[in-house]
């Protein structure tokens, strides 16, 4: 009965919010509702998930990561062979610029997942931050940060990007250039160096190793899809800009290593979870990944430059995004012609014309409708877990909904 009522509420909410958006006199009410955390719209969440939510809020994630970062750096930049001294000094520069100061979204997600899956609710050891179990989780979290750094260094080269996090992309630094390709490989090799040092011989080692190899393979497929959309020195392949292909791109290039990998690594480290558990979390992570990437698309067009460090990059680079797909799906011939002439052009005026087309087509309002529906689907899926571990996914989801960068 409760489950049915929750599902009905989730199906009603998108329509309700749409009504609020269309009626300006109700704007204060809309603002009040949307400014709350997602779960506050459903009072039973606090009772059902409160204990675990409080636990998740108490973990000093960034402090744990910062505490181990120098150790991770030193292990990556050490070899017995003294002839490698100059190489290891360069490796230190690569790590410090590309991995040390990232947003750590994926690392924190892994630590939250480990807090959820690694300790029962009556296990008081969850607060022992200096324990071997937490240290292992932090090392895995840094391995994910290395994977992220590896991907973005190469991605920036292929996209010919200029800025990353408000700073010049690594390959754009005068003393780097295309040496960045080898630097990316240094970061990738660091993952397996850490895994071998800290997990070889443990029960989870082969599963953890498989997860990293598998997700790397999948993300390479995702990058291939991205490059097919937008061949170098050619116009984007607009005939391929469909929502189905966009979802495939998001799954392979973003979702698998941003959400599925952190959760599954934590589950492997904790041990004791079934194939069914892994399959369900994969399904849920697919939805979270779509939400995450579509929000990224929104921020690139309508975010604040001072927060995101980028503006119109996707337009300039001719990327397949939620907005480009939706526009091409609905635009009439005259507007579509203007879009095709300006999308993927490295010019401020061209970017401005595309943004104006998006505004004239009310794409931001249509995005809000998509966003509301996807939120309802994610919430329904979490509720179907009927497990206190749903608090983890509501927590991850709430973080995504507050994103401004």
């Amino acid at each position: 009965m409760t489950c049915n009522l929750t599902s009905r509420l989730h199906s009603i909410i998108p329509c309700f919010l749409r009504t609020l958006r269309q009626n300006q006199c109700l704007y204060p009410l809309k603002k009040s509702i949307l400014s709350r955390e997602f779960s506050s719209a459903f009072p039973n969440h606090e009772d059902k998930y409160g204990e675990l939510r409080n636990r998740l809020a108490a973990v000093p994630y960034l402090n744990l990561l910062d505490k181990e970062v120098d150790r991770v750096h030193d292990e990556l930049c050490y070899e017995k062979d003294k002839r490698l001294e100059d190489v290891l000094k360069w490796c230190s520069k690569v790590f410090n610029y590309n991995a040390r100061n990232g947003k750590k979204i994926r690392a924190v997600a892994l630590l939250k997942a480990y807090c959820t899956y690694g300790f029962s609710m009556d296990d008081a050891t969850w607060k022992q931050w200096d324990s071997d179990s937490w240290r292992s989780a932090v090392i895995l979290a840094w391995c994910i940060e290395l994977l992220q750094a590896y991907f973005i260094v190469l991605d920036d080269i292929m996209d010919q990007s200029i800025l990353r996090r408000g700073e010049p992309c690594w390959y754009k630094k005068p003393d780097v250039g295309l040496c960045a390709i080898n630097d990316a490989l240094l970061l990738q090799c660091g993952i397996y160096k850490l895994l071998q040092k800290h997990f070889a011989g443990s029960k989870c080692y082969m599963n953890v190793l498989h997860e990293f190899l598998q997700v790397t393979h999948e993300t390479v497929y995702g990058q291939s899809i991205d490059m097919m959309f937008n061949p170098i020195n050619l116009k984007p392949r607009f005939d391929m800009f469909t929502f189905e292909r966009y979802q495939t791109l998001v799954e392979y290039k973003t979702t698998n290593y941003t959400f599925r990998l952190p959760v599954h690594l934590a589950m492997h480290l904790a041990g004791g979870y079934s194939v069914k558990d892994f399959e369900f979390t994969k399904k849920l992570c697919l939805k979270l990944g779509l939400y995450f990437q579509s929000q990224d698309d929104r921020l690139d067009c309508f975010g604040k430059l001072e927060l995101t460090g980028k503006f119109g990059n996707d337009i300039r680079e001719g990327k397949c995004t939620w907005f480009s797909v939706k526009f091409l799906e609905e635009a009439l011939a005259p507007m579509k012609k203007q879009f095709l002439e300006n999308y993927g052009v490295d010019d401020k005026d061209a970017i401005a014309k595309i943004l104006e087309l998006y505004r004239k087509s009310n794409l931001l309002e249509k995005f809000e409708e998509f966003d509301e529906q996807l939120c309802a689907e994610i919430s329904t899926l979490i509720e179907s877990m009927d497990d206190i571990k749903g608090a983890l996914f509501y927590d991850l989801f709430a973080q995504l909904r507050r994103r401004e960068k």
Side-chain angles (χ1 to χ4, degrees):
M1 174 95 177
T2 303
C3 225
N4 288 337
L5 179 58
T6 302
S7 296
R8 290 175 64 190
L9 279 171
H10 293 332
S11 65
I12 290 169
I13 283 176
C15 298
F16 176 57
L17 292 176
R18 190 154 52 247
T19 302
L20 290 178
R21 185 176 61 251
Q22 293 167 351
N23 290 272
Q24 294 302 313
C25 63
L26 296 177
Y27 180 76
L29 176 58
K30 174 192 172 187
K31 186 175 180 182
S32 172
I33 291 173
L34 294 181
S35 65
R36 302 172 191 165
E37 286 192 4
F38 179 76
S39 60
S40 65
F42 305 94
N44 65 318
H45 286 185
E46 288 304 317
D47 295 332
K48 185 175 181 179
Y49 301 119
E51 187 178 358
L52 182 53
R53 287 173 67 89
N54 291 337
R55 178 180 289 192
L56 289 171
V59 180
Y61 302 106
L62 294 179
N63 288 343
L64 291 174
L65 291 165
D66 290 344
K67 187 176 179 181
E68 293 294 323
V69 66
D70 289 334
R71 176 185 178 185
V72 167
H73 167 275
D74 293 347
E75 289 178 356
L76 291 176
C77 301
Y78 172 78
E79 294 290 348
K80 291 180 181 179
D81 191 337
K82 300 301 181 184
R83 295 172 297 177
L84 295 175
E85 183 178 353
D86 291 337
V87 174
L88 296 173
K89 285 181 180 177
W90 182 257
C91 186
S92 175
K93 287 180 66 175
V94 173
F95 176 85
N96 288 334
Y97 195 89
N98 295 290
R100 184 184 284 267
N101 298 314
K103 290 183 282 189
K104 300 182 178 67
I105 292 172
R106 296 156 187 84
V108 170
L110 185 147
L111 297 181
K112 287 184 175 184
Y114 185 67
C115 183
T116 300
Y117 286 96
F119 306 92
S120 63
M121 294 311 298
D122 57 358
D123 186 350
T125 64
W126 71 274
K127 287 202 281 190
Q128 295 177 6
W129 316 128
D130 292 326
S131 66
D132 289 341
S133 60
W134 268 113
R135 191 169 291 114
S136 294
V138 172
I139 294 297
L140 276 184
W142 273 113
C143 286
I144 290 187
E145 287 301 296
L146 288 172
L147 185 69
Q148 160 74 348
Y150 160 64
F151 286 147
I152 64 174
V153 168
L154 293 178
D155 191 57
D156 286 342
I157 296 171
M158 286 182 274
D159 290 343
Q160 301 176 43
S161 298
I162 298 170
L163 296 177
R164 170 69 65 174
R165 301 170 188 144
E167 299 291 334
C169 297
W170 178 244
Y171 85 100
K172 280 291 186 181
K173 292 180 69 65
D175 58 339
V176 180
L178 291 181
C179 290
I181 297 170
N182 194 68
D183 296 339
L185 294 173
L186 284 174
L187 294 165
Q188 185 197 32
C189 290
I191 298 167
Y192 302 104
K193 187 175 183 179
L194 290 175
L195 291 180
Q196 185 177 39
K197 179 176 178 63
H198 292 277
F199 297 96
S202 67
K203 290 181 179 179
C204 70
Y205 181 55
M206 291 307 297
N207 286 328
V208 165
L209 192 61
H210 172 77
E211 289 284 353
F212 273 103
L213 292 171
Q214 179 71 16
V215 86
T216 300
H217 196 177
E218 291 167 345
T219 308
V220 170
Y221 280 145
Q223 182 63 28
S224 295
I225 296 169
D226 195 15
M227 299 303 290
M228 289 172 66
F229 282 135
N230 194 11
I232 293 175
N233 298 324
L234 295 173
K235 291 288 287 182
R237 290 282 307 278
F238 294 117
D239 60 306
M240 296 182 68
F241 281 38
T242 66
F243 192 68
E244 181 180 0
R245 287 196 177 101
Y246 171 71
Q247 285 183 296
T248 303
L249 170 67
V250 171
E251 176 182 344
Y252 276 86
K253 189 176 177 182
T254 302
T255 298
N256 291 331
Y257 88 96
T258 301
F259 293 99
R260 195 195 77 204
L261 181 65
V263 172
H264 283 189
L265 287 176
M267 292 169 73
H268 286 305
L269 184 60
Y273 293 95
S274 68
V275 172
K276 186 177 179 181
D277 293 326
F278 281 95
E279 289 175 347
F280 182 84
T281 52
K282 177 181 178 180
K283 182 179 179 181
L284 184 47
C285 287
L286 284 174
K287 293 287 186 183
L288 289 173
L290 180 59
Y291 187 84
F292 173 82
Q293 185 57 55
S294 62
Q295 288 293 327
D296 242 27
D297 296 346
R298 176 185 64 83
L299 291 172
D300 188 77
C301 293
F302 301 103
K304 297 177 181 177
L305 177 61
E306 63 271 21
L307 294 178
T308 64
K310 60 180 184 177
F311 179 73
N313 283 13
D314 293 339
I315 296 171
R316 179 176 61 82
E317 295 167 6
K319 292 292 185 180
C320 177
T321 68
W322 188 93
F323 289 90
S324 61
V325 168
K326 188 68 173 176
F327 180 86
L328 288 171
E329 189 180 88
E330 298 184 350
L332 298 176
M335 294 178 75
K336 187 175 290 188
K337 181 177 182 293
Q338 191 177 358
F339 178 92
L340 298 179
E341 290 171 349
N342 289 280
Y343 199 78
V345 177
D346 187 3
D347 177 78
K348 289 182 180 178
D349 290 339
I351 293 172
K353 287 176 183 177
I354 295 296
L355 290 174
E356 184 59 25
L357 287 174
Y358 285 173
R359 292 188 184 97
K360 286 181 178 178
S361 302
N362 297 318
L363 281 197
L364 195 54
E365 288 78 6
K366 291 171 183 176
F367 178 81
E368 287 179 6
E369 292 181 10
F370 165 81
D371 176 272
E372 290 159 9
Q373 182 59 43
L374 186 55
C375 287
E377 291 173 9
I378 291 171
S379 184
T380 299
L381 201 53
I382 295 173
E383 286 296 297
S384 73
M385 291 178 71
D386 196 27
D387 189 318
I388 195 171
K389 293 181 179 63
L392 165 68
F393 296 98
Y394 271 120
D395 186 272
L396 295 175
F397 190 28
Q399 277 195 318
L400 298 183
R401 286 180 64 79
R402 292 194 296 266
R403 280 181 73 208
E404 289 296 334
K405 60 181 180 177

